[in-house]
């Protein structure tokens, strides 16, 4: 196959990598945010469920979780449906296994990030919402969560990069993403340097785009805030 043919396959693999990373991150963000909101206050049952979930998915490598979902996912789903008397045979493909595995693993980490950001919101914001008689869902959506986003954004952007890079491991369950095609092209052409460098350039490009987008979002979430001058500037002014 000509060189351009392999480059085209790398492009197709890159699109699959982006799809898996985006869907996994959205699932992790949803799961993490729900657990964070549910565990802000101490509820014995909810906290017990959270402890079990966090212990499992932070203690087991994401690749092993992907293997479990890929090879045993069909059996687990059949068992769940059999509880309600339904016989369902659902085949779990590598794409679905990758999305669910990465989403559940990193959902545990995002839950800690979002919960910490909630605790760092000034208590006066909650008190002001109560004094103004703002309905609780409205206060959370329009007052609290925007501030949580601003506080958690640096850690959330780093977590996105981690999820993106972990998609390279998922190629081991048969998902045809960029690393799969890079290995295939390297084996056929005996030029591993070229194709692995192209794969590395893709991840570096995505990291750079993440940095630019994060800067834009930080500017948007930081509107109206007075930022403290750096210590060096304060010292220079004092001198």
């Amino acid at each position: 196959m000509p060189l351009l043919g392999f480059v085209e396959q790398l492009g197709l693999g890159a699109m699959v990598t982006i799809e898996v990373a985006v869907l996994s991150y959205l699932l992790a963000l949803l799961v993490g945010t729900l657990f964070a909101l549910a565990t802000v206050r101490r509820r014995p049952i909810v906290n017990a469920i959270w402890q079990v979930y966090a212990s499992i998915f932070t203690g087991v490598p994401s690749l092993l979780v992907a293997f479990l979902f890929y090879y045993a996912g069909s059996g687990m789903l059949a068992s769940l449906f059999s509880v309600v008397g339904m016989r369902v045979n659902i085949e779990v493909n590598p794409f679905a296994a990758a999305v669910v595995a990465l989403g559940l693993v990193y959902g545990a980490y995002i839950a800690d990030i979002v919960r910490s950001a909630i605790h760092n919101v000034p208590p006066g914001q909650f008190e002001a919402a109560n004094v103004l008689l703002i309905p609780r869902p409205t206060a959370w959506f329009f007052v609290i969560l925007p501030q949580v986003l601003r506080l958690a954004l640096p850690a959330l952007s780093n977590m996105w990069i981690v999820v993106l890079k972990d998609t390279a491991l998922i190629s081991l369950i048969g998902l045809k993403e960029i690393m799969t095609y890079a290995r295939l092209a390297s084996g056929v052409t005996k030029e591993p340097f070229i194709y692995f460098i192209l794969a590395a350039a893709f991840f570096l490009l995505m990291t750079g785009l993440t940095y630019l987008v994060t800067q834009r979002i930080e500017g948007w979430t930081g509107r109206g805030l007075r930022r403290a001058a750096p210590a060096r500037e304060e010292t220079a002014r004092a001198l």
Side-chain angles (χ1 to χ4, degrees):
M1 183 179 292
L3 176 63
L4 290 179
F6 283 121
V7 173
E8 183 179 355
Q9 285 190 337
L10 285 177
L12 294 175
M15 293 303 299
V16 174
T17 298
I18 293 173
E19 290 175 2
V20 171
V22 169
L23 292 177
S24 300
Y25 187 76
L26 291 177
L27 176 60
L29 191 62
L30 175 62
V31 172
T33 302
L34 291 177
F35 267 113
L37 294 175
T39 55
V40 168
R41 294 184 177 181
R42 294 188 177 277
R43 300 179 178 90
I45 297 178
V46 175
N47 279 276
I49 295 173
W50 158 249
Q51 291 296 333
V52 173
Y53 167 77
S55 299
I56 293 174
F57 288 103
T58 59
V60 179
S62 55
L63 179 59
L64 181 54
V65 176
F67 278 136
L68 290 174
F69 278 114
Y70 180 57
Y71 291 108
S74 298
M76 289 189 292
L77 289 175
S79 299
L80 288 175
F81 280 106
S82 66
V83 174
V84 294
M86 298 176 61
R87 293 184 178 181
V88 178
N89 185 18
I90 301 176
E91 292 295 331
V92 178
N93 56 37
F95 187 93
V99 170
V100 174
L102 292 177
L104 292 180
V105 168
Y106 289 105
Y109 295 99
I110 289 180
D112 285 331
I113 293 172
V114 175
R115 190 187 307 108
S116 298
I118 293 174
H119 287 309
N120 285 326
V121 174
Q125 300 294 317
F126 297 92
E127 295 171 1
N130 290 332
V131 169
L132 295 173
L133 300 179
I134 300 176
R136 191 174 183 84
T138 303
W140 272 96
F141 191 79
F142 290 103
V143 179
I144 306 303
L145 288 182
Q147 298 182 66
V148 170
L149 174 62
R150 176 176 57 83
L151 295 170
L153 185 59
L156 290 177
S157 62
N158 289 336
M159 192 57 60
W160 155 252
I161 294 174
V162 173
V163 172
L164 177 66
K165 291 191 295 184
D166 252 17
T167 57
L169 299 175
I170 305 302
S171 62
L172 296 178
I173 65 173
L175 183 66
K176 293 182 178 179
E177 43 77 67
I178 189 170
M179 292 305 300
T180 302
Y181 286 117
R183 287 200 304 270
L184 175 63
S186 300
V188 173
T189 63
K190 308 301 179 183
E191 295 286 349
F193 183 80
I194 296 176
Y195 296 102
F196 286 126
I197 283 295
L198 289 175
F202 162 75
F203 285 104
L204 289 174
L205 175 62
M206 293 299 298
T207 302
L209 289 175
T210 300
Y211 176 73
L212 293 176
V213 172
T214 301
Q215 278 192 324
R216 292 292 184 90
I217 298 177
E218 284 182 349
W220 175 71
T221 57
R223 291 178 302 174
L225 290 177
R226 291 186 59 187
R227 301 187 179 277
R232 292 182 179 177
E233 293 183 10
E234 293 292 340
T235 302
R237 290 175 183 174
L239 296 176

